[in-house]
Amino acid sequence: MKNKCILVGVTGGIAAYKIASLVSSLKKADNEVHVLMTKEAEQFITPLTFQTLSAQRVITDMFAIDFQPDVHHVSLAKKADVFVIAPATANIIAKVAHGIADDMLTTTFLAAECPKLIVPAMNTHMLNNPVTQDNIEKCRHYGMHVMNSSAGYLACGDTGSGRMPEPSEIMDAISAIVEDDRWLSGKKVLVTAGPTREEIDPVRYITNHSSGKMGYELARAARNLGAEVTLVSGQCTLARPVGVDFVSVTSAADMAEAVLSRQNEQDVIIMAAAVADYTPITKAEQKIKKSDGDLGIPLKRTKDILKALGAAKKEGQVLIGFAMETENLLANAREKLLAKNTDFIIANSIADKGAGFGVDTNIVTILSPDAEEALGLLSKEETAEEILKYCLKG
Ligand code: CTP
């Protein structure tokens, strides 16, 4: 990474002092670095430190009369290749999640269209507060990258998550964004996510435990990499990712129609949805009333969407399926890879702690016709990034 324009927003956390070494490393690597500080950050480290290390005027005050006209917030925002906020306090995360622009840092941040990286650093309880977690989720929803904080001893005396990653790790994350971002530009990626609902009568349906998280993370990751993304989603409670074409479906038949009618224009299709294999033969027009005896509901097979995609796969199209198993994970997954003519199957076992429905982590193994790669325990966001990298980057 060199010759990039990097904006570093520093906010009021004790980890601010570590950003001096980040700025120094970025500058030494021949990048143009502009530091923007909140007034709280100035309590922890002085602008002069950053000014000396970056060889650029540090930006703090929006209304300074000796302000250089060529570095006002819009022109800086326009020339940035990446905007990093580190350390990012709970307060700044809340502001950027909601578009608040009340100082130079937040105003420039709102005006910037480049990739953005948030590096949270705060007390464990503040980080774990559902409000902060929702705000972090919102930042991701709007396409910002958010680094996971590390765990350990915190300056406040608590031990837990909330520690800022080391400057070298932040540097790696910036390089990954600046160099790799957008490598899926020009590609069309369709992702399915969530459960399907098969109606029994006007009040009941058959479904499964899928939350849609893995598919939504894949859609976001592909969007962040520049792909034109279509997300075909069963009914989930998750926020719709911005910047993707969102198609809401209910049943397996709806999903089949939505996916198969779009197959031809896609470069990549990822079937992360948990599609029902069976649906009631008939949907009762009226609510089924109970009687004394047992009740059987005759079911018929739904279309296997992935198999249909595999049968009609066009030249160069990449098909990625999932296999959720409770036993014989790899053998069953390999069987699906062959039977459905896919390029990759992402296998996971709900027997593994930290994998499967509802949780924010996953443990997957990627299978291709001639290889196998176990990813280990990762967040679903990281799992999505690794899947795209492994399957599509070559
Ligand atoms: N799938 C599909 N259409 C279906 C069922 C599944 O496209 N009617 C896709 C899923 O989205 C997933 C892959 O097929 O990508 C494997 O799904 P899974 O439920 O693990 O396996 P099944 O093929 O349904 O087989 P089984 O239920 O016997 O494990």
Side-chain angles (χ1 to χ4, degrees):
M1 173 178 54
K2 60 195 262 193
N3 300 327
K4 301 287 180 196
C5 177
I6 300 166
L7 307 194
V8 181
V10 183
T11 70
I14 182 62
Y17 78 93
K18 291 191 178 178
I19 299 306
S21 97
L22 175 70
V23 168
S24 165
S25 306
L26 288 168
K27 176 81 178 110
K28 271 191 208 144
D30 285 335
N31 297 289
E32 178 181 330
V33 187
H34 295 271
V35 177
L36 299 94
M37 299 177 75
T38 59
K39 62 180 185 327
E40 291 78 16
E42 291 181 61
Q43 302 294 318
F44 292 92
I45 183 165
T46 69
L48 186 61
T49 306
F50 289 124
Q51 190 153 313
T52 311
L53 293 170
S54 66
Q56 297 283 352
R57 173 92 165 255
V58 170
I59 297 151
T60 52
D61 185 355
M62 196 152 171
F63 300 106
I65 46 167
D66 58 342
F67 205 72
Q68 290 161 283
D70 60 328
V71 267
H72 63 72
H73 67 279
V74 176
S75 55
L76 254 192
K78 271 190 193 148
K79 72 193 289 208
D81 292 303
V82 61
F83 198 142
V84 189
I85 300 186
T89 57
N91 187 50
I92 196 80
I93 292 171
K95 282 187 183 181
V96 298
H98 292 86
I100 293 173
D102 61 356
D103 62 8
M104 200 60 195
L105 197 166
T106 47
T107 309
T108 313
F109 194 83
L110 195 61
E113 288 182 328
C114 59
K116 294 168 179 170
L117 175 68
I118 307 283
V119 189
M122 67 195 78
N123 165 269
T124 304
H125 304 295
M126 291 175 84
L127 180 66
N128 292 339
N129 190 310
V131 177
T132 308
Q133 289 298 315
D134 277 357
N135 288 333
I136 288 178
E137 192 50 35
K138 262 210 170 66
C139 291
R140 291 202 167 113
H141 169 66
Y142 288 122
M144 301 170 211
H145 302 263
V146 183
M147 279 185 89
N148 290 328
S149 55
S150 25
Y153 177 77
L154 303 173
C156 56
D158 282 347
T159 302
S161 51
R163 255 170 81 108
M164 192 178 75
E166 290 306 313
S168 61
E169 296 171 80
I170 304 174
M171 182 92 175
D172 284 349
I174 298 172
S175 311
I177 290 170
V178 171
E179 282 165 12
D180 290 345
D181 218 32
R182 326 305 291 173
W183 56 265
L184 273 177
S185 306
K187 297 283 182 205
K188 290 192 170 187
V189 177
L190 184 146
V191 182
T192 67
T196 61
R197 280 181 189 172
E198 309 305 317
E199 291 196 25
I200 298 169
D201 69 10
V203 287
R204 304 172 178 103
Y205 55 80
I206 302 170
T207 190
N208 56 64
H209 290 298
S210 171
S211 62
K213 280 184 182 164
M214 195 61 244
Y216 276 54
E217 290 298 354
L218 281 159
R220 281 184 186 154
R223 171 204 62 191
N224 290 347
L225 293 168
E228 197 179 310
V229 178
T230 303
L231 175 60
V232 177
S233 171
Q235 300 302 304
C236 306
T237 55
L238 304 171
R240 296 179 178 191
V242 291
V244 311
D245 181 18
F246 189 86
V247 183
S248 174
V249 296
T250 304
S251 66
D254 295 342
M255 186 170 279
E257 207 282 319
V259 174
L260 295 172
S261 63
R262 291 172 171 82
Q263 173 170 16
N264 267 343
E265 68 233 33
Q266 303 303 323
D267 298 296
V268 180
I269 302 181
I270 308 176
M271 285 293 304
V275 189
D277 290 323
Y278 293 91
T279 190
I281 290 178
T282 50
K283 177 191 157 193
E285 288 298 318
Q286 305 300 331
K287 183 184 173 197
I288 299 171
K289 302 302 283 180
K290 66 173 168 298
S291 55
D292 288 339
D294 296 337
L295 173 71
I297 300 168
L299 303 174
K300 61 179 180 190
R301 281 285 305 271
T302 56
K303 189 189 248 326
D304 188 325
I305 306 169
L306 187 56
K307 196 166 182 183
L309 290 167
K313 194 156 98 73
K314 62 170 191 176
E315 183 71 25
Q317 187 170 58
V318 180
L319 266 191
I320 304 174
F322 272 72
M324 166 77 82
E325 307 290 343
T326 55
E327 56 182 356
N328 302 329
L329 175 68
L330 297 179
N332 285 339
R334 191 154 291 283
E335 213 169 279
K336 285 175 190 169
L337 179 87
L338 298 175
K340 303 193 188 204
N341 189 31
T342 63
D343 299 285
F344 299 95
I345 285 282
I346 315 302
N348 63 358
S349 165
I350 49 170
D352 290 339
K353 199 169 171 291
F357 296 125
V359 291
D360 289 329
T361 53
N362 213 345
I363 304 170
V364 306
T365 301
I366 306 176
L367 287 91
S368 64
D370 45 20
E372 214 168 277
E373 175 88 3
L375 295 187
L377 178 69
L378 295 173
S379 69
K380 283 189 173 160
E381 187 192 6
E382 290 162 334
T383 305
E385 288 164 1
E386 292 302 317
I387 290 172
L388 296 184
K389 217 185 286 171
Y390 185 89
C391 300
L392 305 178
K393 212 167 178 198

